Amino acid sequence: MRAVTALRGEYPLELLLRVSGMSRSTYYHRAGSLRRREEGRREDALIAEAFSGSGGEYGCRKVAAVLERRGVRMNFKTVNRRMRSMGLVCTYRRKRRRRSGGGAGHAPNLLDRKFGASAPLEKLVTDVTEMRVLGGGRLYLSSIMDLHSNMVLAHSVSRSNSWEMVGEMLERLERRWGVPRGVMIHSDRGGLYRCREYLRFAREHGVVRSMSGRGSCYDNAVIESHFSNLKGRLGRLDRVPADKAAEMIDEAVRYFNEERILLKLGGLSPAEFLREYEKRQERGRKSAGDI
């Protein structure tokens, strides 16, 4: 079969088939099977590349979305079957319920699990998560995310779970994006979001405060899910020194903002989605100016 294919450029196919004793239908059947196997191997390589590029995090739907961005359309069920045959199974993380405090400084749950936003800097969610590092130490990550694009607008990493860490994150938010009056910032009921410094920040900037119900992590599910996915990408930080772990966290946040696609955003990353939004807004302003 391979010899016939290799010699087709030099001799007529009829002559080659007669010499080899192969019928025309058998030749085309085998040629088609060979072509499909080669295409399958190329597609498997693309699937494996997309999966490994996500750090083993993407499931079949996101892998299919990555392939489509590269010009290869494939049903996610087919991708799922191929991934299973290659032993590519994404990591599933168990959700944890967290209990948080109450008392003075609390605010009503104005967000009420409405996790959509029509424009940037309309609804923000914030939280702190803990990570163990080499030597039994801990690092704390404070992040604030925009529900319009799921972009982490600012974050800070600290060895202590303190207001200084949250304050640094809010300063970075203000320097980079600003804090428009009337923006909603949703958090849990932790003491960091009920302390006088946070209350002063909210009052001075006209922030509308919203808080999850007591012990209800689902009221802040978007950023809880982000932290879970982030930790899955980072892996075992308890084998990494604190300074190196902090660098890895910064890089992971950058990856989630600029490269990691979200199906809810049409297969775009948060940064890509925000750029597309800004382009639409600019076109709208130009059209309004032409009228």
Side-chain angles (χ1 to χ4, degrees):
M1 170 64 197
R2 293 184 182 275
V4 172
T5 302
L7 294 171
R8 280 199 65 181
E10 302 180 27
Y11 302 98
L13 178 59
E14 291 295 339
L15 176 61
L16 294 172
L17 293 178
R18 189 162 58 250
V19 171
S20 64
M22 186 186 305
S23 68
R24 178 182 290 271
S25 60
T26 300
Y27 169 78
Y28 281 114
H29 174 74
R30 292 181 180 178
S33 297
L34 182 61
R35 184 178 62 256
R36 286 190 293 273
R37 284 198 297 271
E38 291 175 350
E39 290 175 354
R41 283 193 290 269
R42 286 195 296 270
E43 290 170 350
D44 286 347
L46 289 173
I47 290 171
E49 181 184 352
F51 179 78
S52 62
S54 73
E57 180 205 353
Y58 284 1
C60 59
R61 294 177 185 272
K62 285 192 174 181
V63 170
V66 171
L67 294 182
E68 185 168 355
R69 293 180 63 167
R70 297 177 181 177
V72 179
R73 296 184 62 86
M74 191 180 303
N75 187 277
F76 74 91
K77 295 181 180 178
T78 302
V79 174
N80 183 43
R81 186 173 63 253
R82 297 278 191 86
M83 288 177 64
R84 289 185 177 277
S85 68
M86 291 185 285
L88 305 179
V89 181
C90 64
T91 304
Y92 293 90
R93 290 165 294 282
R94 184 174 56 186
K95 295 181 175 62
R96 298 192 306 168
R97 294 183 66 88
R98 289 180 14 177
R99 303 189 67 84
S100 53
H106 72 274
N109 184 3
L110 300 178
L111 184 64
D112 195 26
R113 302 190 186 182
K114 296 180 176 66
F115 298 122
S118 59
L121 296 172
E122 180 181 288
K123 299 179 186 176
L124 310 183
V125 291
T126 186
D127 200 2
V128 174
T129 191
E130 173 189 307
M131 305 179 194
R132 292 184 179 272
V133 294
L134 185 65
R138 291 177 172 84
L139 283 182
Y140 297 90
L141 169 64
S142 176
S143 296
I144 189 162
M145 175 185 286
D146 193 329
L147 288 178
H148 175 253
S149 61
N150 277 44
M151 175 178 281
V152 175
L153 301 180
H155 74 283
S156 61
V157 180
S158 174
R159 293 175 185 262
S160 62
N161 189 20
S162 61
W163 161 251
E164 286 73 20
M165 172 186 62
V166 176
E168 180 182 1
M169 176 198 71
L170 293 174
E171 287 178 7
R172 292 177 177 177
L173 170 69
E174 188 171 8
R175 284 199 305 269
R176 175 74 189 278
W177 303 96
V179 182
R181 301 192 72 82
V183 60
M184 178 189 294
I185 300 183
H186 181 86
S187 67
D188 62 21
R189 290 174 173 261
L192 292 173
Y193 308 112
R194 294 183 288 112
C195 68
R196 63 176 178 271
E197 292 88 353
Y198 185 79
L199 296 179
R200 184 186 305 118
F201 174 87
R203 185 171 58 254
E204 291 176 352
H205 292 80
V207 169
V208 176
R209 296 170 59 237
S210 173
M211 283 186 166
S212 301
R214 185 187 297 273
S216 180
C217 61
Y218 299 107
D219 289 345
N220 210 3
V222 174
I223 199 162
E224 293 278 3
S225 176
H226 166 72
F227 282 151
S228 179
N229 291 325
L230 187 79
K231 290 178 180 179
R233 180 169 180 83
L234 290 168
R236 295 288 300 275
L237 287 185
D238 57 351
R239 302 173 181 175
V240 181
D243 54 349
K244 178 63 176 176
E247 294 177 3
M248 293 172 61
I249 292 170
D250 289 341
E251 171 58 24
V253 172
R254 185 206 63 78
Y255 165 78
F256 273 71
N257 276 344
E258 299 180 9
E259 297 183 29
R260 182 178 184 266
I261 65 172
L262 291 174
L263 297 180
K264 65 176 284 187
L265 303 181
L268 301 175
S269 69
E272 291 171 333
F273 182 81
L274 183 58
R275 285 195 292 270
E276 290 297 318
Y277 173 83
E278 291 172 346
K279 289 178 183 177
R280 290 196 300 271
Q281 294 298 106
E282 182 63 23
R283 288 195 296 268
R285 287 191 291 269
K286 288 182 179 179
S287 298
D290 293 338
I291 296 176

